[in-house]
Amino acid sequence: MRKLVSKAFTSRAVEALRPEIERITGELIDTLTDDDTVDLLDDFAFPLPIRVICLLLGVPVEEQENFKSWSKALVSGDSPEAAAAATTEVVAYLGQLIERKRREPTDDILTALVAAHDDDHQLTGIELVSTAYLLFIAGFETTLNALGNGTLHLMRNLDQWEALREDRSLLPGAVEEFLRLESPLKHASFRCATQSLTIGDVEIPAGDFVLLAIASANRDPQRFDDPHALDVRRPTDGGHLAFGHGIHHCLGAPLARVEVRVAFGALLDAFPAMRLAADPEELRWRTSTIIRGLHSLPVRLNRR
């Protein structure tokens, strides 16, 4: 199933998409009024990846607003009932969209998946909808939280913000540092030990479930110097695990990296004196076993 969509997420394909990402980012920046206090998540970090993933899936522009409301219900963590209802609505919509792609194919990932189901029989009907749903969810969660978490740490370490403002060549490495320091995902998927084993001084009996803590690994003092500090000049070959590892390494990592780099570049250009508009210790983190992200991030834009 990865092979069916992997071409859309190669570094070359994502670079070809960069002008569209920059256009969407610029439009969102323009909606932010000078010197206003805004929720950067709601007004910028949230709609950016939603619009990009809708573009890739071939969701018509006039229908993308639905995805914004569904996404909010899915990620808020406040109401399991609202999340379940949103899931049902997203799945129903994707089913309808698949039928439209079947009748009128377009150049997007969803049309390619429909062809894989109809022509090549590589996907069952359930797999077709499930893969589209997964791409939708995974397509915005990592980017949303990387933007929010990275901005929070920069606002708490303004010397690092100034370093990026003065030297944009640091931005690619800084994005990796945001991902390492406050990984958008706390844990990898559950695993079950098929045989007894020992890792470090911990014995894991056969049949036990194991939850691997990505966030802990990314702050391993044996791997990273001063691991709890933000350092946008940190060498980028440290091998953080924010995107996983091995055969399940995040398919959309190239897209997330470009989106976050473009977004921070735009924020630095438009709002060089941006500051937090709340006590960072009073900000609320979402209640989730897996996701590490804020409920809101109020900032003063201070364009001038």
Side-chain angles (χ1 to χ4, degrees):
M1 284 191 279
R2 284 176 66 98
K3 289 180 180 179
L4 295 176
V5 296
S6 60
K7 290 181 180 178
F9 295 101
T10 63
S11 296
R12 178 179 295 182
V14 170
E15 279 303 315
L17 194 63
R18 182 187 286 269
E20 196 65 21
I21 296 172
E22 291 174 342
R23 181 189 65 79
I24 293 171
T25 303
E27 289 179 359
L28 291 171
I29 288 287
D30 289 342
T31 65
L32 303 178
T33 307
D34 289 7
D35 301 323
D36 268 359
T37 296
V38 302
D39 180 353
L40 197 69
L41 296 189
D42 193 50
D43 295 335
F44 181 70
F46 197 85
L48 172 58
I50 294 247
R51 288 180 60 178
V52 172
I53 199 61
C54 282
L55 177 69
L56 286 171
L57 287 173
V59 177
V61 173
E62 62 273 13
E63 297 173 13
Q64 292 180 10
E65 193 62 29
N66 291 330
F67 276 81
K68 185 175 180 180
S69 60
W70 291 331
S71 303
K72 283 186 175 298
L74 290 169
V75 305
S76 70
D78 291 334
S79 171
E81 294 78 12
T87 297
T88 300
E89 292 179 20
V90 172
V91 169
Y93 172 83
L94 290 172
Q96 296 167 6
L97 187 60
I98 285 168
E99 289 303 317
R100 283 152 56 186
K101 299 294 181 183
R102 185 170 280 129
R103 295 192 301 268
E104 300 177 13
T106 49
D107 185 17
D108 51 60
I109 293 177
L110 195 53
T111 298
L113 289 173
V114 170
H117 172 270
D118 293 356
D119 302 335
D120 301 328
H121 307 292
Q122 297 181 65
L123 289 173
T124 67
I126 292 175
E127 288 172 338
L128 173 56
V129 176
S130 297
T131 301
Y133 180 84
L134 173 63
L135 289 171
F136 165 57
I137 296 297
F140 75 85
E141 269 287 5
T142 303
T143 303
L144 163 65
N145 295 320
L147 282 169
N149 299 351
T151 300
L152 173 62
H153 282 286
L154 285 173
M155 294 294 95
R156 298 180 73 173
N157 298 272
L158 290 175
D159 60 317
Q160 305 285 293
W161 173 264
E162 290 302 314
L164 290 178
R165 190 176 65 82
E166 294 171 5
D167 183 0
R168 298 307 171 80
S169 69
L170 295 174
L171 195 51
V175 170
E176 302 305 310
E177 177 69 346
F178 303 150
L179 292 164
R180 180 201 69 82
L181 182 63
E182 202 74 69
S183 177
L185 298 176
K186 298 178 185 178
H187 304 118
S189 301
F190 282 92
R191 295 290 188 267
C192 182
T194 57
Q195 62 185 42
S196 298
L197 70 158
T198 301
I199 299 179
D201 58 357
V202 178
E203 294 185 5
I204 303 174
D208 267 20
F209 281 98
V210 180
L211 188 57
L212 303 177
I214 293 173
S216 178
N218 282 344
R219 294 195 182 194
D220 181 356
Q222 297 183 52
R223 188 68 185 85
F224 303 101
D225 294 333
D226 198 7
H228 302 297
L230 175 70
D231 182 2
V232 297
R233 295 184 175 85
R234 190 185 299 273
T236 58
D237 59 353
H240 66 73
L241 299 178
F243 289 119
H245 180 70
I247 62 172
H248 294 296
H249 184 268
C250 178
L251 187 70
L255 177 62
R257 285 186 165 107
V258 169
E259 286 182 277
V260 176
R261 290 174 191 173
V262 169
F264 273 111
L267 288 172
L268 287 159
D269 286 341
F271 313 117
M274 184 172 70
R275 297 293 185 266
L276 272 180
D279 182 343
E281 302 305 321
E282 294 181 357
L283 295 175
R284 290 174 55 229
W285 293 91
R286 284 161 48 193
T287 302
S288 172
T289 305
I290 299 174
I291 300 301
R292 177 65 171 172
L294 293 161
H295 275 279
S296 63
L297 184 60
V299 298
R300 289 188 297 274
L301 297 175
N302 300 330
R303 185 186 292 269
R304 295 184 179 85

